[in-house]
Amino acid sequence: MNYKENILKIITECCRVLVGGVFIFSGITKAIDPTGGAIKIEEYLNAFGLEMLSPLSMLASLNLSAIEFTLGVCLLLGAYRKYASLLSLILMGFMTPLTLYLAVFDPVSDCGCFGDALVVTNWETFFKNVVLLAAIIFAFLNNRRMTALYSFKVIWFIPLYAYIFSLAFSYYNYSHLPIIDFRPYKVGENIPSLMTIPEGAEEDEYRYSFIYEKEGVQKEFSLEELPDDPAWEFVDSNTELIKKGYEPPVSAFNLYNLFGDDVTDILFENSDGVFLLIAHKLEKASEERIDEINNLYDYAVDNGLLFYGVTASSFDEINRWTDYTGAEYPFLMADDVLLKTIVRSNPGLVLLRGGTILGKWNYRDIPGEENLTEVMESALKGDRINQKEDALIMFFILTFAVPLLLVWVYDWFRTRRKEKTVQSKPTEA
């Protein structure tokens, strides 16, 4: 009997660690890039004809990551075991058939369940969800066998703190830039290199077939089996991708001036420095830091650097922005999706030199006039050591872990004191 109980407990613990770990990873990756999550949710809404709900996409992105993260933490720490496993079961019960639909009909390219940190196909996502659904069903049916690391007196702190922490973490990444950039356009990357296919890289493999007709009968032939008999008449051909070859991280990067000329190579060849003020939609761009942007343009002119605004908006919107902000810098045009991928801010600032990204800023973080020279000279020298990013990551880890550890220590000593008190009481005759 003990042997069977031990086996059930081990399986239950493995299931809750598996589901909890995946939920935490999924929640964190979404929280690192909430803007990317909102873009993916908009894709879902458009695919299902629910465009009217698009204004809620950012709110949904923030809360979805917080819910996943909170459920994952509760499962791992054994907090509210019954309710955490039940809510996780409901979530997986909804997501599994949804991802089956995505896999069969392919309305969106990928589910976005791990953001840009780990891109998986719709079929891979469905099979992953089947495993998680089976695991959470078993964990829910055996939730009393989960180990609880906190007593009932302090257990309320776990989901509350996890949810608040996730929202705060997401909001920080939304208000600035993601502390970890999972997209190709990271600081330090050379864009032309990202578009290059290495020599000897695997190429796409295709299967070609041809349909011929003879005496009213159609037959399919491979490339090697083409008929020599002239009585066979060609009808159609099919091309099937068998194996996907190497695909560069960046498939295309094109910037055009207002006359329609591609000026990408000119910018890549510039060895002094190029500022790109990227606003994928000028009509939605923040006007909060206009003075800092105009000061930065003056700095660029004084130091022989290029400065361009880059947008996917219409000429009318460019003129409206120029008239309203007093902008003197010229504008370039680019694809909306490309611009949203380069920088998660509207507007956002990118500094290039020789096609290499030396710096990226959210509009809230564009340097002010008082420290503009120091920041820009540091970036142009190539001082791209990610000390600030590393410090931020460690700060958030400690901010989350330390309070949970302190509560656990308090709870443990409090429980031990109670046990000692009970043991020290004299037993009644």
Side-chain angles (χ1 to χ4, degrees):
M1 185 65 181
N2 289 336
Y3 176 78
K4 180 181 178 181
E5 179 64 28
N6 289 337
I7 293 297
L8 287 174
K9 181 172 177 58
I10 290 173
I11 296 176
T12 302
E13 298 287 26
C14 290
C15 288
R16 63 113 171 185
V17 169
L18 171 64
V19 178
V22 171
F23 275 20
I24 289 176
F25 179 71
S26 178
I28 287 178
T29 53
K30 288 186 179 73
I32 287 175
D33 186 12
T35 301
I39 293 172
K40 178 59 66 175
I41 289 174
E42 285 186 13
E43 288 184 26
Y44 276 102
L45 295 175
N46 292 334
F48 291 103
L50 300 173
E51 297 87 349
M52 73 290 295
L53 299 178
S54 293
L56 301 176
S57 58
M58 179 55 69
L59 181 63
S61 176
L62 294 172
N63 280 278
L64 179 59
S65 62
I67 290 171
E68 283 188 289
F69 182 76
T70 302
L71 288 176
V73 170
C74 288
L75 287 173
L76 278 186
L77 300 182
Y80 294 108
R81 296 168 293 182
K82 179 179 179 180
Y83 297 112
S85 57
L86 175 60
L87 291 174
S88 300
L89 176 58
I90 293 173
L91 179 61
M92 292 311 305
F94 171 77
M95 294 302 299
T96 304
L98 174 61
T99 51
L100 176 60
Y101 176 87
L102 297 178
V104 173
F105 297 101
D106 200 32
V108 295
S109 57
D110 66 90
C111 73
C113 49
F114 301 124
D116 290 314
L118 180 62
V119 179
V120 293
T121 66
N122 287 331
W123 277 113
E124 290 171 340
T125 301
F126 169 68
F127 292 130
K128 179 261 295 180
N129 285 350
V130 169
V131 174
L132 293 181
L133 179 61
I136 197 59
I137 288 174
F138 191 90
F140 171 69
L141 295 177
N142 297 275
N143 65 83
R144 291 184 177 276
R145 292 184 171 91
M146 295 182 191
T147 300
L149 300 182
Y150 293 80
S151 72
F152 184 75
K153 291 291 185 181
V154 298
I155 204 172
W156 59 269
F157 179 78
I158 310 303
L160 179 62
Y161 184 67
Y163 188 79
I164 293 175
F165 172 84
S166 182
L167 286 180
F169 181 59
S170 296
Y171 185 74
Y172 176 87
N173 289 294
Y174 167 73
S175 300
H176 301 277
L177 290 180
I179 62 173
I180 303 176
D181 197 344
F182 296 119
R183 290 151 297 141
Y185 304 99
K186 304 178 184 68
V187 173
E189 293 287 353
N190 182 268
I191 299 176
S193 298
L194 296 175
M195 297 188 289
T196 303
I197 299 179
E199 185 177 350
E202 291 188 358
E203 298 181 356
D204 293 345
E205 294 183 15
Y206 295 92
R207 177 187 290 117
Y208 301 96
S209 61
F210 304 86
I211 300 175
Y212 282 78
E213 184 175 341
K214 178 181 179 181
E215 298 177 354
V217 177
Q218 292 188 356
K219 184 177 179 180
E220 187 174 353
F221 298 89
S222 67
L223 185 62
E224 296 78 14
E225 301 171 340
L226 292 179
D228 296 327
D229 187 351
W232 286 99
E233 295 183 1
F234 174 79
V235 176
D236 198 3
S237 64
N238 296 316
T239 303
E240 178 185 358
L241 178 64
I242 301 174
K243 183 180 179 182
K244 185 68 178 175
Y246 175 82
E247 187 174 351
V250 175
S251 57
F253 187 97
N254 301 100
L255 304 179
Y256 302 91
N257 62 23
L258 299 184
F259 300 101
D261 302 319
D262 192 329
V263 298
T264 310
D265 291 339
I266 298 176
L267 300 184
F268 284 167
E269 293 167 1
N270 184 283
S271 59
D272 296 321
V274 181
F275 289 105
L276 300 178
L277 180 70
I278 295 177
H280 64 275
K281 291 296 182 184
L282 283 172
E283 55 269 32
K284 297 181 179 179
S286 172
E287 300 166 354
E288 180 180 330
R289 305 279 287 181
I290 295 302
D291 290 340
E292 286 76 9
I293 293 172
N294 290 337
N295 289 337
L296 185 60
Y297 170 70
D298 294 336
Y299 171 89
V301 172
D302 293 340
N303 290 272
L305 307 177
L306 299 180
F307 191 109
Y308 293 97
V310 188
T311 185
S313 295
S314 65
F315 293 159
D316 290 340
E317 289 297 334
I318 293 176
N319 292 331
R320 188 202 67 81
W321 175 271
T322 301
D323 292 340
Y324 182 78
T325 65
E328 299 179 359
Y329 41 86
F331 269 87
L332 302 177
M333 307 292 291
D335 178 70
D336 177 66
V337 175
L338 171 64
L339 299 183
K340 288 189 289 187
T341 305
I342 295 173
V343 61
R344 298 296 203 207
S345 178
N346 189 29
L349 182 69
V350 176
L351 175 60
L352 296 177
R353 185 171 63 182
T356 298
I357 300 175
L358 299 184
K360 292 169 66 171
W361 294 268
N362 183 291
Y363 69 86
R364 297 180 180 88
D365 303 317
I366 291 176
E369 189 173 5
E370 65 280 359
N371 60 350
L372 184 59
T373 301
E374 179 183 354
V375 172
M376 293 308 160
E377 286 183 352
S378 177
L380 288 170
K381 288 178 182 177
D383 297 338
R384 293 177 278 99
I385 300 175
N386 296 324
Q387 293 178 340
K388 180 180 178 182
E389 289 77 6
D390 294 340
L392 278 172
I393 293 171
M394 183 57 63
F395 169 77
F396 281 113
I397 291 174
L398 293 177
T399 300
F400 180 69
V402 170
L404 290 180
L405 179 60
L406 292 177
V407 171
W408 182 84
V409 170
Y410 163 78
D411 189 41
W412 187 76
F413 279 106
R414 177 178 169 278
T415 304
R416 288 198 63 186
R417 286 199 305 270
K418 280 193 171 184
E419 290 176 351
K420 288 182 179 180
T421 302
V422 172
Q423 292 174 3
S424 63
K425 285 184 179 180
T427 58
E428 295 182 2

